[in-house]
Amino acid sequence: MELMWRIIWWLYAFVFMVLLLSATVHHHLGLRKYYIKFLLRLFAFGQERVERRRPNNETEESETPMNELDRPLLSLNHPKALGIKENIKGFHLDNVLEYISAGMGAIMEDDLTKSFLPEELSSWNLLSRTNNRSYEFVSFRLTVCWVVGFLVRYLLLLPIRIVILVFGILLFWTCMIAVGLLPAGSWKSWLNEKLLVFCFDFIAGSLSLVATFHNEENAPKNGIAVANHTSPIDSMVLATNNCYDMVGQKQGGFLNIFMSALSKASTHIWFERSDAKDRSLVVRRLKEHACNDQLPPILIYPEGVCVNNTSVVQFKKGAFEIDCVIHPIAIRFDARFGDPFWWQDKFFHYVVYMMTSWAIVCNVWYLPPMKRNPDESAIAFADRVKAKIAHQGGMIDLSWDGFLKCNPVKSEWKKRQQEEFAKHLKVEEINSNESTKEKEE
């Protein structure tokens, strides 16, 4: 019995040292990348076993979405008058049938709602929470791998990752307070940049984060950086490579620890979304920050909500109204190792979900800076930047407001469709009246 406890103790000590080295000098040792290569081999083994034991007549359920060219679409910014044909004079009851068809199509295949559900994986990653086919029981070897993986993730990695996370938070808090005590100047900015990147990289070690950054020559040095939003760790991922000041909704609990510590070292902007006065103050502070070349780039997520990494929803126009260079950043996570999308009700559940994943793997692309054209509106500029980010990340570009997932449709959006429909009917009525007069003459 004593020998068993000694083996367990040495095992924990070994894993702790590996994770500690991974959190500090992983760039030189490449420990996280070796870990990812091992996981890929494990997934390949599991998929081979699943394919071997799957009956020949069993096929994967695949969705057959409607053809976008065949389905009538209703856009918020570009409303269409459906059901109006050239040979129709005036209003007919069947004019509304295409609107009914569009509504039924939206219910059957709701692109917006699907963007806020956990991503479906094409292959099993040995995590029971992403498996709905009981793949862990298709063979004895695969069952053993799944059980061992479960024990490793929950009994070995989870407690040690929690220790690394606590150390990282204490280190982060101490460093930010120390930087906050220094007088403003170039020395404070330089030290804040180095310590911020190091501390976030240390904390990322608790999640076994492997982030690959592309086109680093486009990394922002000042101004405004905008990125698509998947999870609360997006800022941590980006901060492991570059220093940013951040804009965001005030939070309580665990996230408030990071926000208060960050505010001591640099000029971050936190606001209450429900307060109109607070929003106007944020816009003014944002302009001042973006125009100051001595401050780090300020990081903004224009979507305002977390999306499941398969699409990019409507960007809010606020950051794009400022006459400043915009630095687009595309983030795409690999959900095979762990899905960072925040869909849980409680943040504690989200943290446990993340820390019991195999790892967090993602690609980050720094896109060339973009500037608003003289004759371009803020909304058009936001859509152009969003399209670039979606294309680079291989995600779907949606025009819908992400807040529609929890808020009713605004009355002015309904009014746009009604006005467009009425406008076309009015034209038909005018043409009908003119033709009647011609006949009478």
Side-chain angles (χ1 to χ4, degrees), residues 143-426:
T143 301
V144 171
C145 288
W146 176 75
V147 171
V148 172
F150 179 87
L151 296 176
V152 167
R153 289 186 294 108
Y154 280 88
L155 300 183
L156 187 62
L157 291 180
L158 177 60
I160 297 177
R161 282 175 170 175
I162 291 175
V163 173
I164 298 293
L165 178 63
V166 172
F167 280 0
I169 292 174
L170 293 177
L171 177 65
F172 175 80
W173 183 268
T174 304
C175 290
M176 293 300 102
I177 290 179
V179 172
L181 296 176
L182 298 175
S186 58
W187 165 248
K188 179 179 180 179
S189 300
W190 178 85
L191 188 62
N192 174 64
E193 177 182 352
K194 299 301 180 183
L195 289 179
L196 188 74
V197 172
F198 173 77
C199 290
F200 272 117
D201 200 23
F202 189 97
I203 295 173
S206 65
L207 301 176
S208 300
L209 173 70
V210 179
T212 304
F213 293 87
H214 306 273
N215 306 324
E216 294 190 47
E217 66 276 6
N218 295 326
K221 301 301 180 184
N222 48 57
I224 297 178
V226 298
N228 58 300
H229 200 21
T230 303
S231 72
I233 69 167
D234 291 342
S235 298
M236 181 189 71
V237 171
L238 296 176
T240 60
N241 183 257
N242 194 19
C243 178
Y244 298 93
D245 283 346
M246 301 174 192
V247 177
Q249 167 79 23
K250 290 180 181 178
Q251 302 287 345
F254 186 76
L255 288 177
N256 187 50
I257 297 175
F258 284 93
M259 290 183 170
S260 57
L262 286 168
S263 299
K264 295 180 183 298
S266 191
T267 54
H268 303 272
I269 303 174
W270 314 121
F271 62 91
E272 288 289 351
R273 185 173 282 114
S274 58
D275 191 344
K277 294 182 179 179
D278 210 7
R279 292 200 301 270
S280 61
L281 178 62
V282 166
V283 173
R284 182 173 59 81
R285 291 182 59 189
L286 190 60
K287 291 180 180 179
E288 295 174 355
H289 191 291
C291 297
N292 191 340
D293 295 338
Q294 304 302 317
L295 295 176
I298 192 156
L299 179 61
I300 301 175
Y301 302 105
E303 291 171 294
V305 293
C306 293
V307 188
N308 71 353
N309 207 45
T310 62
S311 57
V312 184
V313 299
Q314 184 187 72
F315 277 10
K316 304 298 182 183
K317 66 177 181 178
F320 301 92
E321 293 177 323
I322 301 174
D323 186 16
C324 177
V325 174
I326 298 293
H327 299 270
I329 302 175
I331 310 173
R332 185 70 187 268
F333 290 91
D334 191 337
R336 290 178 298 172
F337 305 93
D339 189 357
F341 172 54
W342 186 11
W343 55 269
Q344 296 83 351
D345 293 331
K346 296 185 179 296
F347 187 71
F348 173 77
H349 296 161
Y350 171 75
V351 173
V352 174
Y353 182 91
M354 294 283 288
M355 301 193 75
T356 54
S357 298
W358 292 113
I360 301 300
V361 181
C362 69
N363 284 281
V364 178
W365 293 271
Y366 293 115
L367 303 179
M370 301 174 65
K371 192 161 180 69
R372 180 177 170 186
N373 296 326
D375 57 343
E376 189 175 30
S377 67
I379 295 177
F381 183 36
D383 289 341
R384 184 159 60 92
V385 174
K386 176 170 65 76
K388 288 285 186 181
I389 292 176
H391 179 266
Q392 180 63 72
M395 295 171 282
I396 302 172
D397 183 8
L398 297 178
S399 61
W400 303 108
D401 185 353
F403 288 97
L404 285 174
K405 70 172 184 175
C406 55
N407 296 328
V409 178
K410 294 181 180 179
S411 58
E412 55 263 31
W413 293 347
K414 298 179 183 178
K415 190 176 180 181
R416 290 186 198 177
Q417 301 293 341
Q418 294 168 352
E419 289 177 348
E420 185 69 15
F421 188 79
K423 182 175 65 176
H424 284 72
L425 287 180
K426 185 177 179 181

Side-chain angles (χ1 to χ4, degrees), residues 62-208:
S62 60
E63 296 183 357
T64 55
M66 297 175 62
N67 190 338
E68 294 293 340
L69 297 177
D70 298 334
R71 186 178 74 183
L73 299 177
L74 299 178
S75 172
L76 299 179
N77 298 325
H78 305 285
K80 299 178 181 179
L82 303 178
I84 304 298
K85 299 179 175 58
E86 294 182 359
N87 59 347
I88 292 180
K89 305 300 182 181
F91 173 76
H92 291 262
L93 186 60
D94 61 353
N95 292 156
V96 301
L97 292 180
E98 289 196 38
Y99 280 90
I100 296 175
S101 175
M104 294 296 293
I107 293 173
M108 295 174 62
E109 189 184 350
D110 185 1
D111 292 335
L112 180 66
T113 301
K114 289 192 298 184
S115 300
F116 298 100
L117 298 175
E119 184 179 359
E120 292 290 337
L121 299 179
S122 58
S123 60
W124 186 42
N125 59 0
L126 276 72
L127 296 177
S128 58
R129 57 178 177 245
T130 61
N131 172 35
N132 57 2
R133 297 176 180 272
S134 300
Y135 283 149
E136 62 266 41
F137 302 119
V138 300
S139 72
F140 176 76
R141 290 185 182 182
L142 200 58
T143 301
V144 171
C145 288
W146 176 75
V147 171
V148 172
F150 179 87
L151 296 176
V152 167
R153 289 186 294 108
Y154 280 88
L155 300 183
L156 187 62
L157 291 180
L158 177 60
I160 297 177
R161 282 175 170 175
I162 291 175
V163 173
I164 298 293
L165 178 63
V166 172
F167 280 0
I169 292 174
L170 293 177
L171 177 65
F172 175 80
W173 183 268
T174 304
C175 290
M176 293 300 102
I177 290 179
V179 172
L181 296 176
L182 298 175
S186 58
W187 165 248
K188 179 179 180 179
S189 300
W190 178 85
L191 188 62
N192 174 64
E193 177 182 352
K194 299 301 180 183
L195 289 179
L196 188 74
V197 172
F198 173 77
C199 290
F200 272 117
D201 200 23
F202 189 97
I203 295 173
S206 65
L207 301 176
S208 300

